[in-house]
Amino acid sequence: MSQGLPLRKDIPKQEKWDLSDLFESDEAFYQTLEEVLSDTLAFNKTFENHLDSVEQVKAALPRFVDLLVQIDRLGNYAEMYHSVDTTDLNRQKLSAKLSTSYGKIASQLAFVESEILALSDAQIDELIADTPYPHYLKQLKRRKPHQLSFEVEKTLAALSPTFSAAYDMYGITKMLDIHFEPFEVDGKTYPLDYPTFENEYEDNPDTTFRRKSFKHFSEALRKYQHTTAAIYNTHVQQEKIEADLRGYDSVIDYLLEEQEVTREMYDRQIDVIMSELAPVMQRYAKLLQKVHGFDHMKFEDLKVSIDPSYDPEISIADSKNYIYNALGILGDDYLNMVQAAYDDRWIDFAQNKGKETGAYCASPYASHSYVFISWTGKMNEAFVLAHELGHAGHFNLAQSHQNFLESEASMYFVEAPSTTNEMLMSNYLFESSNDPKFKRWVIGSIISRTYYHNMVTHLLEATYQREVYRLVDAGETLTASTLNDITRKVYQDFFGDAVEISEGAELTWMRQPHYYMGLYSYTYSAGLTIGTVMSQRIKNEGQPAVEDWLNTLKAGGSLSPVDLAKTAGIDITTDAPLRETISYISSLVDELEELTEEINQQS
């Protein structure tokens, strides 16, 4: 039988991130948590029922921000510490301790925004004009019609840990409870779990192996579909209750409020891609089928490489050179951040038992960014790393130029810096060789990794999610059968007759934690739209475009997403950037077809 993943304790130190810049030890974490609880009570005692003047708010806000920075520090540490080994009891305990403490902290701080919103519009406008937090206060003012009484807001804040309980239960079910049986191919037995399937098996070049691993993976998921559906239903019904309490017309309107995005922008992103990108990706699927000689192009074949025989491997050390060369155009300060990420162990490269799947970048304001990835040595992981370092570059620039309340950009914009980096990586790789096989691999990686994963996979999740909220707004309860039907229809509508939606594909909704993070999934395509246009500007215009982009990143959350994009020279109030992006993807598929023809003629 093939070996499974190693234990966390057996991973070499240099492959694990160093969280000591946040906390030296668990003891330091617990001590800081107690201090924050105490400081929060003291802050509450000093300011509650006293924020009735502009001067009092001005006195309170800096201390409020200091507390928020410490809370952010604690929260990021607990999440990162737990995510690398969800089986460890000490990590579970620490995460649970923060979760139970957070409600107490939040309830003591709930009065701040309630009392600010109790001020007159003229007083709030004075604060906007004369504090370092203008955009934060403008957003707060916009929420005024939906603000509830202070006692209700305080109660909701105290209950906040229960609002994240569904996400926690989803993670426990996914990482600890689902049991995957090993499976056999050609007389050899292989282990199966979430990380191994998603990191190694899902794009395996052996069709029999890939399809069989998907079948066994799906069979394991299916046993937990009803529990997972019940957990998810709990989450969306809670969102519906709060949306109704606050007087929003729909859950979607409620969730879009904090993104500073109109319903028109949200719907356009989904509808245009579903109608206009679908034919392009159907062509790509048919090209994969032709190249690989599949009788039927199945759902589980969509992530296979255009040329599995040409799949360069890369070491962690070598990835640094590619990242440096690709992102060098962004300047020395940016590269210094990349250097620190490698040298100071901001990145967790490890593959180990209990580590969550996927990749992310955490950016605590109190220190610096951290990147979570599972490195398998595949060249396309250089794109993943460039993506996450895009988040790191964004947050480090924003945090060095903005205070905490003004540092975090709207969720609508947050994936733009990461996907811009992926495009810069592809531009560099494409220009570094004239070998048609390498060029085809680069374009194949751009389409399969950057566009299929970020623009198609997450967009289909968004289309699914929109249907879910339509049902919830109509008073429906979600079941596994309902969620399976929605997922299957979304995939069938997008891929038409180009892809066979295999049994098990309908369970894809079970695999994505984004559904517990508001309207997050669609923002990948929004970010990639901005990222595509921006990377083309940088490619064609050079330094002036780079300066625009760096200024945009430095702005952080001090501007709305529309104004951030405007700073970058992009107008997202129209559909022009989205259609430009789809046209660019279509040209990549054209080029992929031409390179395939050229390679076939040479062989």
Side-chain angles (χ1 to χ4, degrees), residues 407-564:
S407 65
E408 188 166 341
S410 162
M411 188 185 287
Y412 183 90
F413 185 84
V414 80
E415 292 298 336
S418 53
T419 50
T420 297
N421 273 19
E422 287 194 56
M423 298 310 299
L424 293 177
M425 172 64 78
S426 67
N427 289 346
Y428 162 70
L429 290 175
F430 197 72
E431 293 166 4
S432 67
S433 172
N434 289 317
D435 178 0
K437 280 202 166 189
F438 183 77
K439 284 180 175 288
R440 183 171 73 164
W441 175 83
V442 172
I443 294 177
S445 296
I446 299 167
I447 294 175
S448 64
R449 161 59 223 170
T450 304
Y451 286 111
Y452 179 76
H453 182 71
N454 291 324
M455 201 149 193
V456 176
T457 299
H458 292 319
L459 195 282
L460 295 181
E461 292 165 0
T463 309
Y464 153 90
Q465 197 176 28
R466 185 170 64 174
E467 292 305 310
V468 164
Y469 285 125
R470 283 175 175 167
L471 290 177
V472 170
D473 278 329
E476 298 289 333
T477 296
L478 305 176
T479 65
S481 176
T482 302
L483 299 175
N484 290 344
D485 288 346
I486 295 172
T487 304
R488 187 184 298 106
K489 184 177 186 305
V490 166
Y491 275 95
Q492 286 174 337
D493 287 348
F494 188 83
F495 285 108
D497 62 2
V499 177
E500 180 182 322
I501 308 304
S502 314
E503 186 175 351
E506 76 280 2
L507 300 170
T508 305
W509 64 268
M510 293 179 64
R511 298 169 55 182
Q512 186 50 266
H514 289 160
Y515 303 142
Y516 299 83
M517 303 175 187
L519 296 176
Y520 188 17
S521 294
Y522 92 100
T523 66
Y524 279 89
S525 65
L528 190 48
T529 299
I530 297 169
T532 299
V533 177
M534 193 68 235
S535 65
Q536 291 301 302
R537 274 203 67 203
I538 291 172
K539 180 180 178 181
N540 297 328
E541 300 173 34
Q543 196 58 33
V546 170
E547 290 302 319
D548 284 349
W549 188 232
L550 293 176
N551 288 333
T552 303
L553 301 182
K554 291 172 185 175
S558 66
L559 298 173
S560 71
V562 169
D563 288 336
L564 284 170

Side-chain angles (χ1 to χ4, degrees), residues 86-124:
T86 57
T87 64
D88 184 274
L89 294 178
N90 288 329
R91 296 169 191 266
Q92 293 174 15
K93 178 184 173 184
L94 186 144
S95 179
K97 177 66 174 177
L98 179 68
S99 181
T100 55
S101 301
Y102 183 79
K104 300 174 188 175
I105 294 169
S107 66
Q108 293 298 319
L109 297 178
F111 75 93
V112 175
E113 294 188 350
S114 291
E115 291 190 26
I116 291 173
L117 288 177
L119 298 173
S120 69
D121 285 353
Q123 287 173 304
I124 296 175

Side-chain angles (χ1 to χ4, degrees), residues 17 89 96 117 120 125 150 167 187 227 237 274 290 330 377 391 403 443 460 475 501 562 580 585:
W17 54 24
L89 294 178
L117 288 177
S120 69
D125 289 341
F150 168 61
Y167 174 72
T227 299
Q237 297 299 341
M274 285 297 290
K290 179 181 177 182
L330 297 177
H391 288 304
N403 64 66
I443 294 177
L460 295 181
I501 308 304
V562 169
E580 182 180 336
I585 300 171

Side-chain angles (χ1 to χ4, degrees), residues 215-439:
K215 179 176 181 291
H216 283 268
F217 180 78
S218 300
E219 287 172 351
L221 290 189
R222 193 176 303 281
K223 295 174 184 175
Y224 294 83
Q225 62 178 319
H226 300 295
T227 299
T228 307
I231 291 169
Y232 181 47
N233 184 62
T234 299
H235 173 74
V236 295
Q237 297 299 341
Q238 171 263 310
E239 290 177 317
K240 171 63 174 170
I241 290 168
E242 186 161 356
D244 287 348
L245 279 174
R246 295 190 179 280
Y248 287 94
D249 292 336
S250 71
V251 181
I252 290 175
D253 292 331
Y254 161 59
L255 295 174
L256 283 177
E257 178 77 58
E258 66 176 0
Q259 293 185 16
E260 298 180 90
V261 170
T262 65
R263 181 66 180 266
E264 179 190 9
M265 290 169 68
Y266 167 76
D267 284 330
R268 181 180 68 210
Q269 200 69 28
I270 295 174
D271 293 337
V272 172
I273 291 177
M274 285 297 290
S275 63
E276 298 187 21
L277 183 60
V280 177
M281 296 311 295
Q282 288 171 23
R283 277 203 295 133
Y284 171 67
K286 288 176 179 176
L287 179 61
L288 282 179
Q289 180 180 1
K290 179 181 177 182
V291 168
H292 290 281
F294 299 142
D295 289 338
H296 299 282
M297 182 68 188
K298 293 176 174 284
F299 172 81
E300 58 268 38
D301 298 325
L302 283 166
K303 292 195 175 182
V304 71
S305 170
I306 189 75
D307 185 0
S309 68
Y310 194 95
D311 193 7
E313 293 191 354
I314 185 172
S315 67
I316 291 172
D318 287 342
S319 72
K320 185 175 176 181
N321 294 327
Y322 283 97
I323 296 286
Y324 252 60
N325 288 323
L327 304 184
I329 193 170
L330 297 177
D332 291 342
D333 288 345
Y334 200 98
L335 287 186
N336 288 338
M337 182 277 298
V338 174
Q339 179 81 39
Y342 278 92
D343 292 352
D344 299 339
R345 292 172 49 214
W346 297 5
I347 308 170
D348 199 87
F349 291 101
Q351 284 195 89
N352 59 262
K353 289 181 179 176
K355 186 174 182 178
E356 291 182 349
T357 59
Y360 69 77
C361 176
S363 297
Y365 193 91
S367 58
H368 53 73
S369 294
Y370 290 89
V371 171
F372 175 103
I373 188 173
S374 295
W375 194 264
T376 64
K378 296 175 182 176
M379 181 66 185
N380 65 11
E381 282 163 0
F383 284 95
V384 182
L385 190 51
H387 177 106
E388 299 306 336
L389 287 170
H391 288 304
H394 181 202
F395 283 107
N396 280 274
L397 282 168
Q399 290 172 2
S400 64
H401 288 83
Q402 306 293 336
N403 64 66
F404 180 81
L405 290 178
E406 302 274 299
S407 65
E408 188 166 341
S410 162
M411 188 185 287
Y412 183 90
F413 185 84
V414 80
E415 292 298 336
S418 53
T419 50
T420 297
N421 273 19
E422 287 194 56
M423 298 310 299
L424 293 177
M425 172 64 78
S426 67
N427 289 346
Y428 162 70
L429 290 175
F430 197 72
E431 293 166 4
S432 67
S433 172
N434 289 317
D435 178 0
K437 280 202 166 189
F438 183 77
K439 284 180 175 288

